[in-house]
Every structure is written in structure tokens, then in C-alpha cells.
Amino acid sequence: MMTNIDPDRVPKHVAIVMDGNGRWATGQGLSRVEGHVQGYIALRNIIEAASDLGIEVLTVYAFSTENWRRPEEEVEALMRLFAKAAHQEMENLMQNSVRMMVSGRFHELPKEVQDSLSADIEATKNNTKIIFNLAINYGGRSEIVDAARALARKAAAGEISPEEIDEKTFSQYMYAPELPNPDLLIRTAGEMRISNFLLWEIAYAEFYVTQVLWPDFNKEELINAILDYQGRTRRFGAVVEETKR
């Protein structure tokens, strides 16, 4: 597929709020669970597309800390899907040199999900083409609270003084401190809200909202988002700075 993307200005880190699985399923006369299955298929394709386009990190919002409030049957089906997908995708991740990471309160997930994801994380730790970061049982406020707790414990133990804590220090206690902050945040299904996603990390991210429901989001839609990003001027609080990596 030919594109007008400038390869020198591809966003290094793209984050996506994958919204619209339920609405897609309703529109097709299917169950919400089937919508999530189709969303998983779309995600597989987007990981490959992101890698092909030169994106180095892809973070997706798969399950929030608030999603436990959904109907029990739907939550259980999602957990089974996470475990099954992680198991099935091992070979694909290795073949495409995808490194798997997880952000969120991992220890609260069902053991089957933890085991499947842990196997992927361990097997792919030396892969280098793209980092796929799965935000699961994730909440932006929870991440900030967990970082504050970790720093508070160090301060109480006399290992760090409050005066030493600045933004750089605080960032080191987030779930994935080794990753660069997102350059581009994409939200599907037309919703105009952050939904407690990467609250600390997206301070200077560019937003792109599309009406396309997540199961219909494809490489062409990702290209559209990147082209829109490349048409903007990123200032980072200054007067003018050209869009760049």
C-alpha cells in the first residue's frame, strides 16, 4: 500500500483506546462477546500494520480497572479471550519480532490470564521490531497512586527525601518507565474523552478521534491518523516546534 507518510516523522509511540466492540456487535445482530472477538482480530492486524509503518511502541487499552463493573458473563468471557489470545499469538509474536509488555495491576488478574501473558512476556523479551504494550486491568489514576505509594514507602524507609522527588523521579515508578511517552493517542468510535488512560504519559500527546468502530479499524485508518498527526505542529509549551519524533 502506497502512502504519503513521511518516514522521518512517524510517531514513535502510538496509544489506542479501542472503543466500539459492543456497538459493532449490536449493529451486526451479534453478542457483545462476538464484538470483542472481532476486536481481537482487528488488534492482530493493527500490530502488524504499526510495525510495517515504523511505529516503535504500540499501547492499547484492553481492559480498565472500571471494566470489572460490566456484567459478570462478559467479564469472564473477556478473561477467557485474553488467556486464549495470549496463548495463540505466541508464534506470531516471535515470527514478527514483537516484544510483549503489560501495564496495569497484573497481580489482580485471573491466574490463567497471568500465566498466558507471562509466557508471552518472557518469550518475547529479546524481540526488537516493535513493542506491544497491553494495558489490562489498567487505570491512569491507579497507576499514579501505585507510583505514589512506592515512593512513599521509600521515603518512609529513608531511602529518598521528599525534596528529591521531581517529575523525572516520579516517572520512574510508573508501570512502564522504559517506554517513551505517547506521541499520538487514537480513540475509535467517536468518543471525546480520555477514560482514565495514561493520564501521566499523554501530557503532550496529539489526539486523533475517528467515528470508525474498533473492529473496523484497519491499516488504512491507522495511516489516516498518522497523516493527520504529521500535519500538526507540536509545541510542547513553546511557541513553535515542528512535528518530529
Side-chain angles (χ1 to χ4, degrees):
M1 178 186 295
M2 298 296 293
T3 75
N4 294 319
I5 288 177
D6 180 347
D8 294 325
R9 295 192 294 126
V10 172
K12 193 172 191 178
H13 184 173
V14 174
I16 305 179
V17 180
M18 306 180 295
D19 202 3
N21 289 345
R23 274 170 279 177
W24 182 91
T26 299
Q28 302 291 322
L30 301 171
S31 69
R32 288 180 59 85
V33 172
E34 184 58 33
H36 294 310
V37 172
Q38 292 302 314
Y40 155 56
I41 294 171
L43 177 57
R44 289 185 66 194
N45 294 332
I46 290 301
I47 295 171
E48 181 178 346
S51 180
D52 289 344
L53 293 168
I55 294 167
E56 296 180 17
V57 182
L58 178 68
T59 296
V60 301
Y61 206 3
F63 190 87
S64 76
T65 50
E66 291 81 16
N67 286 156
W68 296 106
R69 303 171 188 168
R70 291 186 176 186
E72 183 177 352
E73 180 179 338
E74 181 178 352
V75 170
E76 290 178 353
L78 275 167
M79 291 301 141
R80 288 193 298 270
L81 179 60
F82 289 138
K84 181 179 179 181
H87 177 72
Q88 290 180 337
E89 291 303 308
M90 173 78 79
E91 183 178 353
N92 191 46
L93 294 172
M94 295 303 296
Q95 287 179 348
N96 292 286
S97 195
V98 178
R99 179 186 172 193
M100 175 87 173
M101 292 180 61
V102 169
S103 289
R105 289 179 171 174
F106 188 75
H107 64 283
E108 295 178 351
L109 293 168
K111 186 177 185 301
E112 181 183 10
V113 178
Q114 290 187 46
D115 290 346
S116 295
L117 291 174
S118 293
D120 283 0
I121 292 167
E122 177 61 26
T124 66
K125 64 183 180 181
N126 294 319
N127 290 349
T128 58
K129 191 171 183 184
I130 186 172
I131 295 173
F132 169 54
N133 183 34
L134 185 72
I136 181 170
N137 195 26
Y138 175 89
R141 289 181 175 181
S142 297
E143 180 178 25
I144 293 169
V145 166
D146 289 347
R149 285 174 176 168
L151 280 165
R153 284 192 290 269
K154 290 183 72 71
E159 298 174 14
I160 190 172
S161 70
E163 290 72 22
E164 293 178 272
I165 301 173
D166 55 16
E167 289 186 16
K168 182 177 180 180
T169 303
F170 199 89
S171 293
Q172 293 170 357
Y173 289 83
M174 306 305 276
Y175 292 147
E178 66 269 45
L179 299 183
N181 288 331
D183 302 294
L184 174 62
L185 173 64
I186 299 171
R187 178 152 194 160
T188 60
E191 299 295 346
M192 302 292 289
R193 57 180 179 269
I194 298 172
S195 295
N196 198 21
F197 186 44
L198 302 177
L199 298 180
W200 179 271
E201 295 89 346
I202 62 170
Y204 287 102
E206 298 292 325
F207 281 22
Y208 178 85
V209 177
T210 175
Q211 297 296 323
V212 174
L213 303 179
W214 176 249
D216 292 326
F217 193 86
N218 55 25
K219 185 174 184 177
E220 183 178 356
E221 296 296 336
L222 180 59
I223 289 171
N224 289 339
I226 294 172
L227 288 173
D228 184 84
Y229 165 86
Q230 291 188 343
R232 304 184 190 183
T233 299
R234 304 189 74 195
R235 294 181 172 83
F236 300 97
V239 176
V240 175
E241 180 166 337
E242 293 184 359
T243 304
K244 61 184 180 180
R245 293 178 66 183

